[in-house]
Amino acid sequence: MLRHEFQPGKLVAGTFLTLAGIIYAGDAGGLWETPWFAVIPAVVIGLFLAGTTAIVTRSLRRRRRARHAEPAGVPTETRE
């Protein structure tokens, strides 16, 4: 199985959208009464947090790559 890069922004978005689905499922199942507009703030906040998380993750990965990259102009192997 190929490994892939962990993306915490997608995890945050999925968590909040799953929460919205659970809220509507509980309302449809008769467990509680949910107003139609109650899920909108949860989804908007979740998408905002997911975007913020993705931006922070991207900047940290760029910084780490730049720090570990080889300096330009330095040969990787020497020939004799």
Side-chain angles (χ1 to χ4, degrees):
M1 182 168 142
L2 295 176
R3 296 194 57 125
H4 62 277
E5 197 171 55
F6 177 64
Q7 298 178 346
K10 288 185 179 183
L11 177 67
V12 171
T15 302
F16 276 89
L17 292 174
T18 301
L19 174 67
I22 290 170
I23 291 172
Y24 275 134
D27 184 33
L31 297 175
W32 55 76
E33 186 70 27
T34 305
W36 66 270
F37 57 85
V39 176
I40 294 172
V43 171
V44 170
I45 291 170
L47 291 175
F48 174 76
L49 289 175
T52 304
T53 304
I55 289 170
V56 169
T57 302
R58 183 177 180 190
S59 66
L60 290 174
R61 287 183 178 161
R62 274 189 181 178
R63 185 179 298 164
R64 187 181 318 147
R65 272 191 223 126
R67 187 178 302 158
H68 293 296
E70 293 183 20
V74 177
T76 56
E77 64 181 53
T78 57
R79 295 183 182 179
E80 295 181 9

